[in-house]
Amino acid sequence: MTPSSETREAVLERFRVESITEGALRAIARKGAAVTMQDIADESGISKGTLYLYFKDRDELLHRVSEGGLAQLLAKIEDVFAKGLPFDETIRELVLTKLRFFDERRALYRVHFELRFPHGRDPMCDSKKHNPPPEKQLYVDRLTRYFEEQLESKEDAPRLAQFISETVAGLLFRRIPETNGSKLEDDAQFLSDLLLNGLSGRRKKS
Amino acid sequence: MTPSSETREAVLERFRVESITEGALRAIARKGAAVTMQDIADESGISKGTLYLYFKDRDELLHRVSEGGLAQLLAKIEDVFAKGLPFDETIRELVLTKLRFFDERRALYRVHFELRFPHGRDPMCDSKKHNPPPEKQLYVDRLTRYFEEQLESKEDAPRLAQFISETVAGLLFRRIPETNGSKLEDDAQFLSDLLLNGLSGRRKKS
Amino acid sequence: MTPSSETREAVLERFRVESITEGALRAIARKGAAVTMQDIADESGISKGTLYLYFKDRDELLHRVSEGGLAQLLAKIEDVFAKGLPFDETIRELVLTKLRFFDERRALYRVHFELRFPHGRDPMCDSKKHNPPPEKQLYVDRLTRYFEEQLESKEDAPRLAQFISETVAGLLFRRIPETNGSKLEDDAQFLSDLLLNGLSGRRKKS
Amino acid sequence: MTPSSETREAVLERFRVESITEGALRAIARKGAAVTMQDIADESGISKGTLYLYFKDRDELLHRVSEGGLAQLLAKIEDVFAKGLPFDETIRELVLTKLRFFDERRALYRVHFELRFPHGRDPMCDSKKHNPPPEKQLYVDRLTRYFEEQLESKEDAPRLAQFISETVAGLLFRRIPETNGSKLEDDAQFLSDLLLNGLSGRRKKS
DNA sequence: TATGAATGAGCTTTCATTCAT
DNA sequence: TATGAATGAAAGCTCATTCAT
């Protein structure tokens, strides 16, 4: 009734959802994309049934985990843009940021992949599935806008944005499974250089 | 008993394995990464039990499917190198080849991903897991050798090879789930250009 | 403390129980015999926990709903007897009354059935089960008394009473599930005629 | 391949289905309409998973149990008609037959009831449900035909058939739950008399 | 060697019941 | 007294794997 009580419940709810979300991430980190609800419950320190108080079903839970992660990434990206660095520096920072983000949250990355391949191609079952606005797209959209401002030909912007997004994804793709020895900063540096300069000048003079 | 009969059995074995592998690919294409052994058996025209005569378990079967796919890709890559084209052309052909290969075998790509995250990180269960020589690495190794020949600084070669490998993977990552409208050849062109020239010269003069 | 306050609490208690009972009936009407406690709580406008303040468990709640319904029916039956109609008329009215009663409360009828088959015959679990005086019997008893007054042979009375009770039940049995087209009054008429006159005179003269 | 092998498999299948069906009846007798698949599996001496080799789901299994029972009843009814007894005798035999049939298979009767009330009234979920031709109707239809031959007014035949069917059901309704003391043959006699003669002549002369 | 019926562990999900507030 | 979040014991169902034929 009172505003404070409303806030209180809402806060509690958010807290629960967050703690489950984090537990889910830990669980996914341990068990892979095949996490069970029991795994998530255990890792969250609550009981299986409680999960269903906050999420309709497994699908919704995983989607929310995914969305939550993306939102954090978007915030970090925005911080980079806010610095107002020159183009090259911005690109380097963007690459490094995304790389670091997922490197610290390898589990999250798995979830993204699993959600993109919803277990079959039967067109009928898509209707009842969770189909939120393409939150991943938000990230690419933001990049697109930046490129439209910075590049000469606007038309390349969307593809370039997507390309960078996926290129970094590619790097992560390698880094995630094996505990790779190469330093993350070096990878980021290398990738940024390649993006900015391509292979030009690296070829043998021959 | 006789050498010929031995050979015969070996041939039969290979034939079986191949036919199962192909059936598995078709099954995966239909059902996604969640294929069941029954799906694979049906699509291969044999019975479920027979699968276990040729493969230890589901995990090994999928790994072999994955390996088999890679072997085909390697063969195609070798064809590209055999043409003896100039560097730029070779890069473009390589990109296009890999892109086409997986675009025609989207299902296979899923399997690769699923296999990279073998369902758990508990160190205890690794013992019983399939741990084949890094067959994927073969592809990167081949590229590395090429770059070592072609580039000035040998030390960059491995990273560059891996990078290209993953970059293309990134592109596929986008193409697989949604029946994306953009033409594959355009994507390949764009990616090759970026690899070869980077963003140099695209920035606004400002 | 004071007598008035005691009464007050008692009244409140009765009021609560009744309102829950009615809510339960509505809930059963909507969800069938598989009502959940939550359904009942919602329909009663109270919370799930509160149900357990007034009823030991689901079983007791449903039994009380059932009993409550029967009490109403008994009252209506009494009204029929109070009219002092001749025998034939009384029978007809009784049949019609019961038929109408359950026809308007189809849901209630389901509960009766479910409660008669309390989910198991293991003699051990009977102890914790609700075992109220056979309330249904009250209805049959009342009929028995009437027949004892009206019929020549007193000994047939109990069986006849039970028989009529079940015959009407049989009719309802058909009417409940399918939204049957036949008019309730016609069914009642037919049944009464049969009870009163049997098949005598309907046979072909042949 | 050979006819004998075909027969063999078919026989085995029928044997399994029958043994499960019987196990289900026993399980229902013990646990009521709320039998679980595990109960049925235990009682059938097989494992839970095996049930799903022979029945799509719980619903289909229960329906088949129900149908199987009805088929047996129909056969017995047919035997009665085949005797070519006079009308009164036929009615008496029919009543006794059905009464005995269900008295020996009380569990089966529960299943019939549960299947008539498929757990809710949401009209949407009916589509995917098992909806076989109304096998119960077959029994009533058979009776109807008999009455059409035997009674003067054909139009009463369907209602009379249904009525008798449900009247007997009503009797069973009483006999099932409590291990009732009254002799089945007496109940049958009484019911037949009432059907044939009604209450005529029983009233006090007064 | 090939089969596929049988198994049972394990999954998602529901819901009666409890208890701290 | 009233609440409803939390629980956890089942339930229905799937599927990798085994083994008698």
Side-chain angles (χ1 to χ4, degrees):
Chain A
M1 298 294 178
T2 69
S4 73
S5 81
E6 273 187 87
T7 302
R8 201 177 231 218
E9 288 169 8
V11 165
L12 251 131
E13 163 111 10
R14 247 224 319 274
F15 174 75
R16 268 291 191 222
V17 168
E18 251 174 57
S19 104
I20 291 176
T21 287
E22 284 165 20
L25 271 176
R26 280 194 304 278
I28 292 165
R30 299 172 64 85
K31 302 283 195 140
V35 234
T36 70
M37 293 303 264
Q38 187 63 67
D39 293 332
I40 296 176
D42 291 348
E43 199 71 45
S44 306
I46 62 175
S47 85
K48 213 170 13 172
T50 306
L51 294 178
Y52 290 86
L53 295 180
Y54 297 94
F55 302 93
K56 197 172 108 283
D57 57 13
R58 186 180 183 273
D59 195 59
E60 185 186 303
L61 171 42
L62 291 188
H63 267 96
R64 294 272 277 273
V65 167
S66 168
E67 286 166 35
L70 260 305
Q72 287 182 46
L73 174 59
L74 278 176
K76 284 184 195 288
I77 294 298
E78 216 53 57
D79 290 345
V80 172
F81 288 131
K83 290 186 187 172
L85 299 172
F87 181 76
D88 282 20
E89 288 300 310
T90 300
I91 295 293
R92 288 177 200 281
E93 283 270 327
L94 286 176
V95 167
L96 188 57
T97 299
K98 184 170 176 188
L99 223 44
R100 272 204 187 115
F101 181 80
F102 278 118
D103 202 66
E104 292 163 356
R105 289 167 187 76
R106 290 162 181 231
L108 184 59
Y109 201 71
R110 289 194 195 193
V111 183
H112 282 132
F113 193 89
E114 153 129 315
L115 294 180
R116 294 198 119 185
F117 301 109
H119 265 210
R121 292 229 165 277
D122 307 319
M124 77 208 70
C125 70
D126 275 356
S127 55
K128 70 167 186 174
K129 278 290 166 193
H130 210 57
N131 211 354
E135 75 279 350
K136 168 127 199 198
Q137 210 52 31
L138 293 177
Y139 168 72
V140 175
D141 286 350
R142 188 61 190 84
L143 249 63
T144 302
R145 243 164 49 230
Y146 180 70
F147 285 129
E148 283 175 351
E149 294 166 14
Q150 297 287 326
L151 295 184
E152 280 197 332
S153 71
K154 270 185 157 51
E155 56 202 28
D156 273 351
R159 190 177 243 150
L160 195 55
Q162 199 129 36
F163 174 80
I164 291 196
S165 166
E166 284 145 11
T167 296
V168 182
L171 247 190
L172 285 163
F173 200 58
R174 162 164 61 98
R175 296 187 59 86
I176 290 172
E178 62 244 28
T179 314
N180 188 290
S182 70
K183 264 190 69 188
L184 182 131
E185 280 74 16
D186 290 348
D187 279 350
Q189 177 76 35
F190 185 83
L191 174 53
S192 304
D193 284 352
L194 198 66
L195 283 174
L196 293 168
N197 306 317
L199 297 178
S200 60
R202 294 184 185 231
R203 288 181 54 199
K204 279 182 180 161
K205 301 270 165 60
S206 91
Chain B
M1 298 294 175
T2 69
S4 72
S5 81
E6 273 187 88
T7 302
R8 204 176 228 223
E9 289 170 8
V11 165
L12 259 159
E13 162 110 10
R14 249 225 317 275
F15 175 74
R16 270 289 192 223
V17 168
E18 248 173 60
S19 103
I20 292 175
T21 287
E22 282 165 23
L25 267 178
R26 283 194 302 277
I28 291 164
R30 300 169 65 88
K31 302 279 195 143
V35 236
T36 69
M37 292 301 267
Q38 186 65 65
D39 293 331
I40 296 176
D42 291 347
E43 201 73 46
S44 306
I46 61 173
S47 85
K48 213 172 12 174
T50 307
L51 294 179
Y52 289 86
L53 294 180
Y54 296 94
F55 302 93
K56 194 172 108 279
D57 57 15
R58 186 179 183 271
D59 196 60
E60 184 184 303
L61 169 43
L62 291 188
H63 267 96
R64 296 271 276 272
V65 168
S66 171
E67 287 165 36
L70 260 306
Q72 286 182 47
L73 174 59
L74 278 177
K76 285 183 194 287
I77 294 298
E78 216 53 58
D79 290 346
V80 172
F81 289 132
K83 289 187 189 171
L85 300 172
F87 182 76
D88 282 22
E89 288 301 309
T90 300
I91 295 293
R92 288 177 200 281
E93 284 271 328
L94 286 176
V95 167
L96 188 57
T97 299
K98 184 170 175 187
L99 223 44
R100 271 203 188 116
F101 181 79
F102 278 117
D103 203 65
E104 291 163 355
R105 289 167 187 76
R106 289 166 180 227
L108 183 58
Y109 201 70
R110 287 199 197 191
V111 183
H112 282 133
F113 192 89
E114 156 135 309
L115 293 181
R116 292 199 118 186
F117 302 111
H119 271 211
R121 293 219 166 285
D122 308 320
M124 75 209 72
C125 70
D126 274 356
S127 55
K128 71 168 184 172
K129 278 291 166 191
H130 209 57
N131 209 354
E135 76 280 351
K136 168 127 198 198
Q137 211 52 31
L138 293 176
Y139 169 72
V140 176
D141 286 349
R142 187 61 189 83
L143 248 62
T144 301
R145 244 166 45 231
Y146 180 71
F147 283 130
E148 282 175 352
E149 295 167 13
Q150 297 287 326
L151 294 186
E152 279 198 331
S153 69
K154 271 183 156 54
E155 57 202 28
D156 272 351
R159 189 177 246 150
L160 194 55
Q162 197 129 36
F163 174 80
I164 292 196
S165 165
E166 283 145 12
T167 296
V168 182
L171 246 189
L172 285 163
F173 200 59
R174 163 162 61 99
R175 295 187 60 89
I176 291 171
E178 63 246 27
T179 314
N180 188 289
S182 70
K183 262 188 70 184
L184 182 131
E185 281 74 16
D186 291 348
D187 279 350
Q189 176 78 36
F190 185 83
L191 174 54
S192 303
D193 283 353
L194 198 66
L195 283 174
L196 293 169
N197 306 318
L199 298 178
S200 60
R202 293 185 186 230
R203 290 182 51 199
K204 277 180 182 162
K205 300 272 165 61
S206 96
Chain C
M1 301 293 180
T2 70
S4 73
S5 83
E6 271 186 272
T7 301
R8 200 175 233 225
E9 288 169 7
V11 165
L12 259 159
E13 163 110 8
R14 248 224 319 274
F15 174 75
R16 272 286 193 226
V17 168
E18 249 174 58
S19 104
I20 291 174
T21 288
E22 283 164 22
L25 266 178
R26 283 195 302 278
I28 291 164
R30 301 169 64 87
K31 302 278 195 146
V35 234
T36 69
M37 294 300 267
Q38 185 64 65
D39 292 332
I40 296 176
D42 291 347
E43 201 73 46
S44 306
I46 62 173
S47 86
K48 212 171 12 170
T50 307
L51 294 178
Y52 290 86
L53 294 180
Y54 296 95
F55 303 92
K56 192 172 111 280
D57 57 14
R58 185 178 183 272
D59 195 59
E60 185 186 303
L61 171 42
L62 289 188
H63 267 97
R64 295 271 276 273
V65 168
S66 171
E67 289 165 33
L70 260 304
Q72 286 183 48
L73 174 60
L74 278 177
K76 284 183 194 290
I77 294 298
E78 217 53 56
D79 290 346
V80 172
F81 288 132
K83 289 186 188 169
L85 299 171
F87 182 77
D88 282 20
E89 289 299 312
T90 300
I91 295 293
R92 291 179 198 282
E93 283 270 331
L94 286 175
V95 167
L96 189 55
T97 300
K98 184 171 176 186
L99 224 43
R100 273 205 187 115
F101 181 79
F102 278 117
D103 204 65
E104 292 163 356
R105 290 167 187 75
R106 290 165 180 229
L108 184 58
Y109 200 71
R110 287 198 197 191
V111 182
H112 281 133
F113 191 90
E114 155 135 311
L115 293 181
R116 293 199 117 186
F117 303 110
H119 272 207
R121 292 221 168 284
D122 307 319
M124 76 208 74
C125 70
D126 275 357
S127 55
K128 68 167 186 174
K129 278 292 167 194
H130 208 58
N131 209 356
E135 77 279 352
K136 168 126 200 198
Q137 212 49 31
L138 293 176
Y139 169 72
V140 176
D141 286 349
R142 187 62 190 85
L143 248 63
T144 301
R145 245 169 41 233
Y146 180 70
F147 283 130
E148 282 174 351
E149 295 167 12
Q150 297 287 327
L151 294 186
E152 281 197 330
S153 70
K154 269 186 159 48
E155 56 201 30
D156 272 352
R159 192 177 241 151
L160 195 54
Q162 199 128 37
F163 174 79
I164 293 198
S165 167
E166 284 145 11
T167 296
V168 183
L171 245 190
L172 284 163
F173 201 57
R174 162 162 61 100
R175 296 187 59 86
I176 290 172
E178 63 243 30
T179 314
N180 189 290
S182 71
K183 261 189 72 187
L184 182 130
E185 280 73 16
D186 291 348
D187 279 350
Q189 176 76 37
F190 185 84
L191 174 53
S192 304
D193 284 354
L194 198 66
L195 283 174
L196 293 169
N197 307 317
L199 298 178
S200 60
R202 296 188 185 227
R203 288 184 51 199
K204 277 180 180 160
K205 300 270 165 58
S206 93
Chain D
M1 296 295 178
T2 69
S4 72
S5 81
E6 272 188 88
T7 302
R8 202 180 230 208
E9 287 169 10
V11 166
L12 251 130
E13 162 111 11
R14 249 224 317 275
F15 174 75
R16 268 293 191 219
V17 167
E18 250 173 57
S19 105
I20 291 175
T21 288
E22 283 165 20
L25 271 176
R26 282 195 304 277
I28 291 163
R30 300 171 64 86
K31 302 282 196 139
V35 235
T36 69
M37 293 302 266
Q38 186 64 64
D39 292 332
I40 296 176
D42 291 347
E43 200 71 46
S44 306
I46 60 174
S47 85
K48 209 173 15 169
T50 306
L51 294 178
Y52 291 88
L53 294 180
Y54 296 94
F55 303 93
K56 197 173 106 285
D57 55 16
R58 185 180 182 270
D59 195 60
E60 185 185 302
L61 170 43
L62 291 187
H63 267 97
R64 295 269 279 272
V65 168
S66 170
E67 287 166 34
L70 259 305
Q72 287 181 47
L73 174 58
L74 278 176
K76 286 184 193 290
I77 294 298
E78 215 53 55
D79 289 346
V80 172
F81 288 131
K83 289 185 189 171
L85 299 172
F87 182 76
D88 283 20
E89 289 300 310
T90 300
I91 296 292
R92 288 179 200 282
E93 285 269 330
L94 286 175
V95 167
L96 188 57
T97 299
K98 183 170 177 187
L99 223 43
R100 273 204 187 116
F101 181 79
F102 278 117
D103 203 65
E104 292 163 356
R105 290 168 187 76
R106 292 166 179 228
L108 184 58
Y109 201 70
R110 288 196 195 193
V111 183
H112 283 134
F113 192 88
E114 150 128 317
L115 293 181
R116 292 197 122 187
F117 302 109
H119 264 211
R121 294 225 167 279
D122 307 318
M124 78 208 70
C125 68
D126 275 357
S127 56
K128 71 164 185 174
K129 279 291 166 196
H130 212 58
N131 210 356
E135 76 279 351
K136 168 123 199 201
Q137 210 51 31
L138 293 175
Y139 169 72
V140 176
D141 286 349
R142 187 62 190 83
L143 249 62
T144 301
R145 246 168 41 232
Y146 181 69
F147 283 130
E148 281 175 351
E149 296 166 13
Q150 297 286 327
L151 294 186
E152 279 196 332
S153 69
K154 271 187 159 48
E155 55 201 31
D156 273 351
R159 190 178 243 151
L160 195 54
Q162 198 130 37
F163 173 81
I164 293 198
S165 166
E166 283 145 12
T167 296
V168 183
L171 245 189
L172 285 162
F173 201 58
R174 162 162 63 97
R175 295 186 58 86
I176 289 171
E178 62 244 27
T179 314
N180 189 290
S182 70
K183 261 188 71 186
L184 183 129
E185 279 73 16
D186 291 347
D187 278 351
Q189 178 76 38
F190 184 84
L191 175 53
S192 303
D193 283 352
L194 198 67
L195 283 174
L196 292 169
N197 305 318
L199 298 177
S200 61
R202 295 184 185 229
R203 287 183 51 198
K204 279 180 178 155
K205 301 269 167 58
S206 91

